[in-house]
Amino acid sequence: MRTSRTTTDLPWLIQGGMGVGVSGWRLARAVARTGQLGVVSGTALDTLLIRVLQSGDPGGHLRRALAAFPVPELADAVRRRYFVEGGIGAGERFAATPRLTADEACPARSLTVVANFCEVWLAKEGHPGPVGVNYLEKVQLATVPAMFGAVLAGVDYVLVGAGIPAQIPGIATRLARLEPVTARVDVEGDDRPVELRFDPASVLDGARPGPLRRPDVLAIVSLPALASYLCRSPETTPDGFVVEGHRAGGHSAPPRGPLRLDEDGDPVYGPRDTPDFAKMAALGLPFWIAGGQCGPEHLRRARAAGAAGVQLGSVFALCEESGLDARLRRELVARRLRSELTVRNDPAASPTAFPFKVAELPGTLADPAVGAARRRVCDLGYLRTPYRSERGTLAYRCPAEPRAAYLRKGGAAEQTEGRQCLCNGLLAAVGLGQRRPHGAVEPPVVTIGQDLGFLPRIAPEGRPYTAESVVRWLSAGLTATPV
C-alpha cells in the first residue's frame, strides 16, 4: 500500500543523485540531517563497495553497515572476500566485480543487494531525515536487486531517470511486500523484451526482516508529455516527478525533433524542449524543478509555478561532503571562477546515446591526448545493452568497448565514434580508478552542470563550503519576496 505524504511533509529541496559515488552516503546524510531529501546514487554501488573494502575501509563505515545487514552470513561472505586490512598495494589491481545478467540464478545479484543496503543504511544512520536513492532506467539489469537492498535499509524515496520508468512504482510495491518481481529488460533491435525474475527470498535465505515501507517513487522527466504518459495507469503512476532541464549535469534528454548541433557540437534545444509547468501542476502530483535552478530566487520561482521545490546537483557535487576527488573539485571551482571552464553537452560521449555533460579538464578523458592514449576495455559493463546473438541467445555489448569486439557482436562502427567508458571514468573521478599494467590508472571523466553561476555567491574566492551551508543559503527562497 502506498503512503500518502501531505504537502508539509514534502522536502522543498532534493539533492540530486550523482554517480558514480559523487552523491555518496556522506553527502546524502549531510543533506538529510537538515530535513531535506539527501539522495545517494545507486549506480555501480557493488563496485564502490568492494573497492572501498579493498582500500582498507577507512573509518570502518562499510563494515559497520555490513554488520547491520539482515542476512549475516551473506554480509560476512562479502567482507571476507573483499576486505583488505590496510588496503591493497599502490600498484595492485582491484578485484573484478561480478557482472549482472538477466539470468535468475545470477550470483552477482546478492552483492548488488548488499551494496545498496550499505549505502542507504549509512546515509540514514543517526538522524530521522529523508534519504533517497537514484537509479538509471538504462541500467535495467541492476535495478530490481538494487532497489531491494535500498528497501531493506528503509529508503524513503526512489528516483529514476534516463528512460521511461513505467515499471518502477509496481516494483517498489512488490519488493516492500517481499513478493517475487518480474521486470522487463529491453533487448536492442528486438521488440520482444526478456523477463528478469527476482525473488527476495533468494537473498534473504530464511531471514525475516522487520516490516518494510514502500518508498515513494519520483520519475525524472524532461517534459509533461512523459509525465502524462506515466499517469495513464495506477500501475505506472509515480508519487511525483522531477522535471529536469537540459543544462543539468550527467545525462539529459535529447532535443525533440531532428538532432541539430551548434558550433561547439552541442545539441540545440528549442521552445519544444521547455516544459510547461502549468501542465505539470494540472496532473495533481508533486513535482520539483531541476537543471540550472541554484539560488534562492530559483526556489521562489519554482514554488510560485506550483512546484514543491527544486532539485540541485552541481552545487552539492562541489561541496566538502561530495565524493568527487578533492583535486578535481578544486580545479572545477578555480577554473569556473576564472571563467576558464567549458562544460560540453556531448551527444556522443555516453554509450547510452543520451547527451552527457563533460567538463573539459586536463588529465581527464575530455583531453584528446588522454582519450586517444586510453586502451578500450569493458570490464565493468553497467551500460552494456542486451541483444540477440545470431544463435538467438541473449548476449551483451557496449559501444564503448573495444571496437573489434563490438563489431563482432553485430554493432555498427559509427556507434563507437566518440564513445567514452563512463563506468571506468566516473569511478576514477571519485578516486577509485582501476589500476592497469605498467603503472597506468584509468583516467577520470568529470560531469557537472552547465550553470555554475552560484559559485561566486556561495564560494567567493573559491572558499570551501558544506552541504548544510547550501541548504541555509537556499532557504531564503522560502519567503514570498526577496530578502
Side-chain angles (χ1 to χ4, degrees):
M1 182 180 222
R2 297 194 187 195
T3 57
S4 58
R5 298 181 191 273
T6 66
T7 303
T8 54
D9 290 332
L10 296 173
W12 52 263
L13 172 64
I14 299 175
Q15 163 256 306
M18 299 169 285
V20 171
V22 174
S23 57
W25 63 266
R26 291 176 176 85
L27 174 56
R29 186 170 69 177
V31 174
R33 286 171 69 93
T34 72
Q36 300 311 305
L37 179 53
V39 179
V40 298
S41 168
T43 304
L45 283 178
D46 49 354
T47 297
L48 281 169
L49 169 68
I50 68 175
R51 289 191 180 180
V52 173
L53 288 175
Q54 290 170 84
S55 300
D57 187 24
H61 303 294
L62 284 177
R63 282 169 288 167
R64 188 170 69 254
L66 285 169
F69 189 72
V71 186
E73 297 81 7
L74 179 54
D76 287 345
V78 172
R79 179 183 52 79
R80 289 194 303 269
R81 170 67 180 85
Y82 295 107
F83 175 63
V84 177
E85 187 73 51
I88 61 176
E92 195 173 346
R93 179 183 175 85
F94 287 116
T97 305
R99 293 201 187 199
L100 287 162
T101 69
D103 186 352
E104 189 172 0
C106 174
R109 289 184 180 180
S110 58
L111 179 62
T112 299
V113 173
V114 171
N116 280 260
F117 173 90
C118 289
E119 193 77 4
V120 172
W121 189 89
L122 286 169
K124 290 183 68 69
E125 185 183 24
H127 66 86
V131 168
V133 62
N134 180 275
Y135 297 119
L136 300 177
E137 167 64 18
K138 287 281 188 179
V139 189
Q140 293 180 324
L141 295 174
T143 301
V144 176
M147 278 182 62
F148 182 56
V151 168
L152 280 177
V155 74
D156 300 290
Y157 288 84
V158 171
L159 300 87
V160 184
I164 303 175
Q167 305 180 87
I168 304 303
I171 291 173
T173 299
R174 288 186 283 277
L175 289 178
R177 296 172 178 168
L178 297 179
E179 296 173 356
V181 170
T182 299
R184 184 198 72 249
V185 175
D186 297 322
V187 179
E188 187 176 2
D190 190 337
D191 58 5
R192 300 166 300 161
V194 300
E195 292 184 340
L196 185 153
R197 296 182 177 85
F198 177 82
D199 187 348
S202 66
V203 175
L204 292 175
D205 194 28
R208 295 179 178 272
L212 301 178
R213 191 187 72 82
R214 178 195 182 275
D216 283 2
V217 173
L218 302 183
I220 302 174
V221 300
S222 59
L223 293 169
L226 176 55
S228 297
Y229 171 81
L230 292 172
C231 288
R232 293 190 308 173
S233 163
E235 181 73 7
T236 62
T237 301
D239 300 281
F241 297 95
V242 175
V243 187
E244 188 172 84
H246 62 86
R247 296 185 69 80
H251 290 94
S252 57
R256 298 183 72 180
L259 179 63
R260 294 186 297 115
L261 304 180
D262 63 18
E263 61 275 11
D264 297 318
D266 287 15
V268 176
Y269 292 82
R272 296 176 65 197
D273 303 301
T274 301
D276 184 333
F277 296 123
K279 290 183 177 179
M280 289 299 309
L283 293 174
L285 293 174
F287 68 96
W288 290 257
I289 301 175
Q293 302 299 313
C294 191
E297 68 280 8
H298 294 289
L299 173 61
R300 193 175 297 115
R301 287 198 291 267
R303 289 167 68 86
V310 295
Q311 174 181 285
L312 302 175
S314 297
V315 68
F316 290 110
L318 299 175
C319 77
E320 288 294 282
E321 295 90 347
S322 165
L324 187 62
D325 178 82
R327 180 188 61 82
L328 293 172
R329 286 206 317 266
R330 291 192 295 267
E331 182 81 1
L332 285 166
V333 171
R335 284 179 174 268
R336 172 58 182 83
L337 293 176
R338 297 197 305 264
S339 300
E340 295 176 358
L341 179 66
T342 298
V343 179
R344 287 204 54 217
N345 191 19
D346 193 330
S350 174
T352 67
F354 276 52
F356 185 76
K357 308 302 183 309
V358 179
E360 296 190 345
L361 296 179
T364 70
L365 282 176
D367 184 331
V370 174
R374 179 186 179 271
R375 184 177 66 86
R376 283 191 172 220
V377 61
C378 183
D379 53 359
L380 291 167
Y382 292 104
L383 298 179
R384 292 178 304 155
T385 301
Y387 74 99
R388 296 283 181 187
S389 70
E390 292 181 353
R391 298 179 179 179
T393 58
L394 198 66
Y396 305 88
R397 65 189 177 201
C398 176
E401 70 183 335
R403 288 182 178 86
Y406 188 69
L407 297 178
R408 189 169 60 248
K409 297 173 183 177
E414 59 269 21
Q415 293 177 323
T416 69
E417 295 301 322
R419 302 298 190 208
Q420 297 179 4
C421 181
L422 299 188
C423 300
N424 276 293
L426 291 173
L427 278 161
V430 295
L432 292 172
Q434 182 61 282
R435 290 86 178 266
R436 302 299 185 193
H438 311 297
V441 178
E442 278 285 350
V445 62
V446 178
T447 183
I448 198 78
Q450 291 181 302
D451 288 314
L452 303 181
F454 58 83
L455 277 173
R457 302 168 65 184
I458 199 168
E461 301 176 356
R463 289 199 294 268
Y465 62 92
T466 66
E468 183 183 4
S469 70
V470 174
V471 178
R472 286 201 309 268
W473 172 57
L474 292 167
S475 65
L478 296 174
T479 58
T481 56
V483 294

